[in-house]
Amino acid sequence: MELSIYALDKLLNRICIPPVLCVDTTASNIFYRYGQEHDLSFVMYPLKLSINYPGRMGMTYLEAHRPKTGYNILCQYIRHEKMDVLRIMPDGVIFTSLLRHPLDQFLSVFNNFDMKSTIPNLQPYHNPYREFFRNPDRIAKLSSDTIYHMLQNSMSFDMGLKPIQFGDADAVEKFIERVDGEFHLVMILEFLDESLVLLKRLMCWDLRQLIYVKLSVNNEYRTSVDPDIQERILEWNAIDLRLYNHFKAKLERLIEAQDASFHEEVAALKALNVNFWKECYSSGNALPVFNGNKIGYILAEDHKDNSTCKLLATDDVTQTHLIGMKQFKEHLPPSDILMVRNHMQNLKKYNPAMLGWSEVKNVLKSTTSESGNTDEL
C-alpha cells in the first residue's frame, strides 16, 4: 500500500489521514506513532487497516463510535471524499497526501498481491508482466474488487476519480484541479525527507517526530522490468502519471522557494535518521525480507527496552491492531484478541525489533482483569 492521504488539524494537533491503498508503511509509521504518543483518537473500524475500501466510509458506524473528545486522526485506507472527512473530523482540518511514481506503485501492487496467480495458464518461463499486458483488462477483472481498483490509476481512484472518468480528459483535468485545491501539501515519496520537513513546518512539529526507518521494499522491482513493459505500465496508468508529475513539479517549486534553514533541516533529518537507525538496531543491518516486501530488524543490545526503537520497527497492520485494542477494548471479542496475539507472535519471528505481545496486552488489563482472563492472553 503506497499512497496515503492525510488531513490534520494544526491548532488542535488533530490528524485526519485518509490513506489511499498502497500507502508507504515507512511514512505511515510517523503518523501512527505521533497519534499514540499524544493519546489521540483514530477514525477506524476495529483492528481494520481500511474503512470500507473501495467503497466510501461507513459513516453510521463511525459516528456511533465517535469518542467523547472527538476523532483526531484518520489514517486507515479509504477512498478520499472530502465531505466524508469534514463530516467526521473537527473544523480546521489540514489535508496532506503522499504520492509515489506510478511505475513503482503498479509494480508494488502486482508483486505484493501476487497478481501472477490470477494470470491464466502462466508458466514458470513466462514473463508475468508481459503476460498481464496481453489482455490487462480481462486479467485485472479476475482479481478481487479491491485489487482490481489498485491496478490501474490507483492513486487517482483513491483520490476520488471514478473509473468511468478515466477516458474523459475534461474530468481528469478538473479532478487534478480539485485535488490541488483541497490539499494543503502533497508529499512525494521520492522526496520524502524534503516533504516531511515541509510537513513539520506546516504542523509546527519537532524534527524528532519525523524519525523513520525503512519497513518495506517497494522501489526495487523496476530493475527487473524490461523498458517496453515499463512504458506499457505508464500508459496503463497515464492519469496517475499526470497526477504525480503535477504534484512533483509543484513540490519542486515549493522546495526551491525555501530558505537556507529548510535545507539545513533536511540535512539534519537525514543525519538524525541514520544515527537513530545505527543506535537502535544491531549493526544497522536489516534482516532478510519477509511477507513479500517487509523488512525486519534486531534491536541493539543497549536498546532492547527502548520503546521508540520498537515502535519505529512495527508495521502498519500491527500498529492498527494496537490502536484498535486501545479504542475498542470494551467491544472486542476474545477471538479478535487471540488473532492479534497470534499475528504479533508470528511477525516477531521475522522482525524481532517490533513491539511484542507481552508489551501491548496491558492495554486490555482494565477490561480483562475483572474476568480473570489476562494471564490467558
Side-chain angles (χ1 to χ4, degrees):
M1 302 177 172
E2 324 303 341
L3 164 66
S4 296
I5 307 170
Y6 308 95
L8 312 98
D9 184 329
K10 181 176 179 179
L11 296 179
L12 300 177
N13 276 331
R14 287 176 180 164
I15 312 170
C16 166
I17 312 172
V20 187
L21 274 178
C22 275
V23 165
D24 179 75
T25 55
T26 301
S28 297
N29 184 286
I30 294 172
F31 297 97
Y32 283 120
R33 195 173 71 246
Y34 181 88
Q36 292 180 79
E37 289 175 352
H38 293 81
D39 198 26
L40 303 180
S41 297
F42 289 71
V43 180
M44 65 188 307
Y45 289 171
L47 310 183
K48 300 292 185 181
L49 199 58
S50 64
I51 303 178
N52 201 40
Y53 186 90
R56 289 176 62 168
M57 289 191 292
M59 305 302 292
T60 301
Y61 179 90
L62 295 174
E63 291 180 329
H65 291 80
R66 187 195 303 265
K68 293 180 179 179
T69 57
Y71 287 116
N72 306 119
I73 303 180
L74 197 173
C75 60
Q76 308 312 98
Y77 301 121
I78 67 166
R79 274 201 80 201
H80 174 61
E81 176 58 54
K82 184 177 180 181
M83 294 310 298
D84 287 349
V85 175
L86 294 179
R87 178 176 167 183
I88 204 71
M89 291 295 292
D91 295 335
V93 170
I94 294 177
F95 288 85
T96 179
S97 177
L98 175 67
L99 300 177
R100 68 184 308 199
H101 195 283
L103 177 59
D104 297 316
Q105 168 74 359
F106 174 87
L107 293 174
S108 180
V109 171
F110 193 96
N111 287 278
N112 295 341
F113 290 91
D114 193 23
M115 276 302 300
K116 291 187 294 185
S117 64
T118 68
I119 301 176
N121 303 316
L122 181 69
Q123 301 298 319
Y125 53 85
H126 286 161
N127 182 314
Y129 305 117
R130 201 170 295 280
E131 292 300 313
F132 175 84
F133 280 105
R134 289 184 187 276
N135 196 339
D137 290 295
R138 175 176 175 270
I139 296 174
K141 289 176 181 177
L142 295 175
S143 62
S144 70
D145 189 41
T146 297
I147 299 174
Y148 171 75
H149 289 295
M150 296 169 62
L151 285 169
Q152 184 179 26
N153 297 315
S154 62
M155 295 187 292
S156 299
F157 173 79
D158 289 345
M159 286 283 209
L161 187 67
K162 299 176 182 178
I164 198 173
Q165 298 173 310
F166 286 177
D168 187 334
D170 289 338
V172 171
E173 188 66 31
K174 291 178 181 178
F175 158 72
I176 294 176
E177 291 177 0
R178 176 179 62 77
V179 173
D180 199 333
E182 287 183 0
F183 287 85
H184 299 79
L185 173 66
V186 175
M187 301 181 285
I188 299 294
L189 185 60
E190 289 76 13
F191 295 88
L192 183 58
D193 292 317
E194 291 84 354
S195 296
L196 290 175
V197 172
L198 288 172
L199 178 66
K200 166 195 173 293
R201 293 186 166 201
L202 179 65
M203 296 301 298
C204 301
W205 283 2
D206 183 86
L207 205 60
R208 292 186 65 84
Q209 293 169 328
L210 304 176
I211 295 172
Y212 64 87
V213 297
K214 190 172 184 179
L215 295 175
S216 59
V217 178
N218 285 318
N219 295 337
E220 289 78 0
Y221 296 118
R222 68 164 69 188
T223 59
S224 62
V225 180
D226 295 334
D228 65 314
I229 296 299
Q230 292 190 25
E231 291 181 9
R232 290 294 305 277
I233 292 171
L234 293 178
E235 290 172 1
W236 175 251
N237 292 277
I239 299 173
D240 269 4
L241 186 60
R242 284 186 61 186
L243 182 73
Y244 173 84
N245 285 338
H246 174 88
F247 285 104
K248 178 174 177 286
K250 184 175 182 178
L251 182 71
E252 288 174 337
R253 292 193 299 269
L254 187 58
I255 292 172
E256 289 177 3
Q258 301 303 305
D259 56 19
S261 64
F262 169 83
H263 300 285
E264 292 172 358
E265 283 190 290
V266 172
L269 177 59
K270 291 178 183 289
L272 195 61
N273 278 325
V274 171
N275 293 334
F276 206 89
W277 186 47
K278 289 181 177 179
E279 287 185 18
C280 274
Y281 310 111
S282 178
S283 302
N285 294 322
L287 294 172
V289 173
F290 66 97
N291 283 7
N293 72 331
K294 303 302 181 184
I295 299 175
Y297 295 91
I298 299 175
L299 289 170
E301 192 65 33
D302 54 348
H303 284 77
K304 286 190 173 182
D305 296 321
N306 189 309
S307 59
T308 301
C309 291
K310 293 177 181 179
L311 203 55
L312 280 168
T314 301
D315 65 286
D316 53 351
V317 175
T318 304
Q319 297 267 22
T320 297
H321 288 169
L322 175 58
I323 294 165
M325 287 196 301
K326 290 179 179 178
Q327 285 192 201
F328 300 97
K329 56 186 177 181
E330 293 87 359
H331 308 287
L332 292 177
S335 58
D336 281 358
I337 298 172
L338 289 174
M339 180 273 292
V340 173
R341 185 199 67 178
N342 293 339
H343 164 83
M344 295 186 68
Q345 290 178 343
N346 181 59
L347 285 189
K348 191 77 170 175
K349 301 173 186 176
Y350 305 98
N351 185 11
M354 66 177 280
L355 288 170
W357 174 249
S358 61
E359 298 163 296
V360 302
K361 70 175 184 179
N362 61 345
V363 302
L364 303 171
K365 284 184 177 179
S366 62
T367 55
T368 58
S369 58
E370 296 179 3
S371 60
N373 292 331
T374 305
D375 294 335
E376 298 177 10
L377 299 177

